Amino acid sequence: MENNKRKIYVIGHKNPDTDSICSAIAYADIKNRTEENPVYEAKRAGQINEETLYVLKRFQMNTPGYMPNVGTRVKDMDVRKVGGVDSKISLKKAWTLMRNENVFTLPILNQNQELEGLITTNDITESYMDVYNNAALSEARTPYRNILETVDGTMIVGNEHAHFTDGKVLIAASSPEVMEQSVEQNDLVILGNRYEAQLCAIEMGASCIIVCMGVPISKTIRRLAEERECFVISSPHDTYTVARLINQSMPVKHFMTSENLVKFSIDDYTDDIKEVMKNQRHRDFPILDSDGKYIGMISRRNLLGAKGKSIILVDHNEKSQAVEGMESADIREIIDHHRLGTVETMSPVFFRNQPLGCTATIIYQMYQENHMEIDKTMAGLLCSAIISDTLLFRSPTCTPIDKAAGLALAQIAGLDIEKYAID
């Protein structure tokens, strides 16, 4: 993408003839040889005719790439490289990443870097403010490693790669007698240093207990927990903090938006996506490459700073003949031999227009003005353009300058100009 931003395309009109194509190739050669950064590339805005194909083949020149539209694309914008995350990470981790990266949207990706969903800061704040039932943690199939990470815990008994999939979350603030009425099979119980409460929770079938304040856990509790397959987590935080944090351990998959995602391709035109953005309340939009893989995010603000393609027009200066999307392009130069047309530019440009029979004649003059040697290939291309445009000097638009240029170029290229014209 960085290379595309720097390139300047030399391009002819929408119905390219031999002059349009050959002049674009030769002028790109001049620019690349006279400037420090060789970033000029010849392009074509339409299909090439048989005559031009013959010329290119004759001089073993590749056909310029097809560029039907020079409008600004997403690839011309500053795509922000917001890293994707796994759908199993916790809300807390997602929030931390957003704050550290100063972003408002995180893309959720699968192992193939394909977009599964999006989660925003609004999604996270809403999840925290909404009142959830005490079974929300298990309904979200929360990984225990998320719980450990969120409450800064240590797994004393159990497997951190397992998931909490059944039961509710309780705080053991009452006596063991009352706990027996509230703790049910597979519940997760948050409690303190009371041995009786820990013992009661395990005996009532809790699937996990979180012991707060980092208090030591007795060997008896550990042994009983292992026998009953009850996980034991130790957290340095108090009961209130653990209870406040634990919902933040739920995986983002439970809250992300995964349906009707508004996403764009790297090849989309900005004029098209502007209309879509207007009707969406989202702040950021994911960008996919041509293979459907996620590569970054853009926002409405990126549209304001989007840079159009830089182009040089040859052999025309009328809007009706110009490549599509020219209005949003940065026109750097115009080299032409036709009457003045309707092309408008955003800033002053180098404009060379001479009453000659062919643009290639002007390009030939520019080689001479820059004291540049013309090789056989470029000479053959420019000579072909002059022959084509002037009908071998028979056209009423042909000037003595065109004829002199054509003959000089034929000599450099080693052409029998009469025979070659017939060919």
Side-chain angles (χ1 to χ4, degrees):
M1 284 189 294
E2 291 300 319
N3 288 335
N4 286 338
K5 288 179 186 176
R6 293 196 307 268
K7 279 194 174 176
I8 299 174
Y9 300 104
V10 186
I11 192 165
H13 44 78
K14 285 190 288 189
N15 297 303
D17 57 9
T18 302
D19 185 25
S20 175
I21 296 296
C22 294
S23 291
I25 294 171
Y27 194 54
D29 176 59
I30 290 177
K31 299 296 286 186
N32 284 327
R33 290 169 62 184
T34 55
E35 299 197 8
E36 291 184 6
N37 298 317
V39 294
Y40 296 83
E41 183 177 337
K43 292 288 185 179
R44 58 188 174 90
Q47 300 304 316
I48 294 182
N49 61 41
E50 290 186 20
E51 177 192 276
T52 308
L53 285 172
Y54 171 79
V55 169
L56 295 175
K57 185 177 180 180
R58 172 73 179 259
F59 293 100
Q60 298 181 340
M61 176 61 63
N62 292 330
T63 302
Y66 182 43
M67 183 175 280
N69 194 315
V70 293
T72 306
R73 293 190 179 190
V74 172
K75 66 174 67 175
D76 302 313
M77 301 169 62
D78 293 324
V79 177
R80 188 169 186 178
K81 304 296 183 181
V82 180
V85 298
D86 187 90
S87 62
K88 294 179 181 178
I89 72 164
S90 67
L91 290 172
K92 183 183 179 184
K93 186 171 184 178
W95 178 262
T96 302
L97 286 171
M98 288 178 176
R99 293 186 67 182
N100 292 341
E101 298 294 328
N102 192 29
V103 298
F104 299 92
T105 307
L106 275 183
I108 315 301
L109 309 181
N110 62 22
Q111 292 181 343
N112 296 321
Q113 295 299 298
E114 295 167 337
L115 189 69
E116 285 191 337
L118 298 171
I119 190 160
T120 66
T121 52
N122 285 341
D123 295 330
I124 295 177
T125 53
E126 286 175 8
S127 74
Y128 190 70
M129 296 303 296
D130 286 347
V131 177
Y132 285 97
N133 65 69
N134 55 8
L137 210 67
S138 62
E139 291 173 358
R141 298 183 61 82
T142 304
Y144 276 104
R145 65 173 178 270
N146 283 15
I147 298 174
L148 292 170
E149 179 185 81
T150 303
V151 303
D152 300 313
T154 302
M155 184 68 81
I156 306 300
V157 176
N159 177 13
E160 68 175 40
H161 298 292
H163 293 69
F164 179 53
T165 59
D166 191 19
K168 58 187 182 296
V169 177
L170 293 175
I171 300 174
S174 53
S175 65
E177 292 77 20
V178 176
M179 284 180 60
E180 290 181 355
Q181 306 300 318
S182 55
V183 178
E184 296 178 335
Q185 193 77 17
N186 298 321
D187 284 350
L188 185 151
V189 184
I190 303 170
L191 34 71
N193 64 348
R194 294 168 60 190
Y195 174 85
E196 297 83 359
Q198 298 171 14
L199 184 63
C200 178
I202 296 173
E203 289 181 338
M204 293 304 297
S207 61
C208 177
I209 62 172
I210 300 179
V211 182
C212 301
M213 297 298 292
V215 298
I217 301 169
S218 70
K219 292 182 180 179
T220 303
I221 292 296
R222 295 187 190 192
R223 185 172 61 253
L224 182 61
E226 289 174 352
E227 292 174 358
R228 299 292 182 92
E229 296 183 347
C230 175
F231 289 14
V232 179
I233 295 173
S234 173
S235 172
H237 301 301
D238 57 50
T239 306
Y240 167 76
T241 302
V242 171
R244 182 174 63 85
L245 290 175
I246 197 162
N247 271 3
Q248 296 179 33
S249 65
M250 286 188 280
V252 293
K253 184 175 184 178
H254 197 63
F255 301 93
M256 71 182 188
T257 301
S258 57
E259 296 181 357
N260 301 318
L261 295 174
V262 181
K263 50 188 180 291
F264 302 116
S265 166
I266 196 74
D267 293 317
D268 285 342
Y269 290 99
T270 55
D271 287 342
D272 296 331
I273 72 174
K274 280 179 185 176
E275 296 303 315
V276 179
M277 284 184 169
K278 283 180 183 177
N279 300 319
Q280 299 293 330
R281 63 179 182 85
H282 310 307
R283 184 190 294 260
D284 302 293
F285 300 85
I287 302 302
L288 310 182
D289 65 15
S290 55
D291 296 322
K293 311 288 188 183
Y294 167 83
I295 57 175
M297 307 285 287
I298 61 170
S299 65
R300 291 182 180 88
R301 181 181 295 180
N302 291 126
L303 286 175
L304 300 176
K307 297 177 182 178
K309 288 184 175 66
S310 295
I311 61 173
I312 295 175
L313 303 181
V314 296
D315 199 32
H316 71 295
N317 71 96
E318 293 198 37
K319 183 178 179 180
S320 61
Q321 296 179 347
V323 61
E324 295 296 329
M326 184 201 65
E327 299 85 355
S328 62
D330 174 22
I331 301 175
R332 297 291 188 90
E333 301 180 27
I334 301 174
I335 313 295
D336 192 21
H337 69 110
H338 296 100
R339 68 185 179 92
L340 296 185
T342 55
V343 168
E344 295 182 3
T345 62
M346 293 180 285
S347 58
V349 300
F350 176 80
F351 181 32
R352 182 160 177 170
N353 184 281
Q354 293 177 243
L356 298 171
C358 183
T359 303
T361 304
I362 303 174
I363 305 299
Y364 170 69
Q365 291 178 335
M366 297 176 86
Y367 271 107
Q368 292 183 312
E369 292 162 3
N370 285 282
H371 306 289
M372 295 173 63
E373 182 181 350
I374 307 176
D375 62 29
K376 286 188 176 183
T377 297
M378 290 301 162
L381 295 177
L382 292 175
C383 182
S384 301
I386 294 172
I387 292 172
S388 176
D389 254 24
T390 66
L391 303 176
L392 190 57
F393 318 132
R394 295 185 182 90
S395 169
T397 60
C398 181
T399 70
I401 297 175
D402 293 300
K403 185 172 182 179
L407 293 174
L409 289 164
Q411 186 174 3
I412 296 171
L415 294 173
D416 179 338
I417 197 167
E418 294 283 348
K419 180 178 183 304
Y420 179 59
I422 293 172
D423 291 342

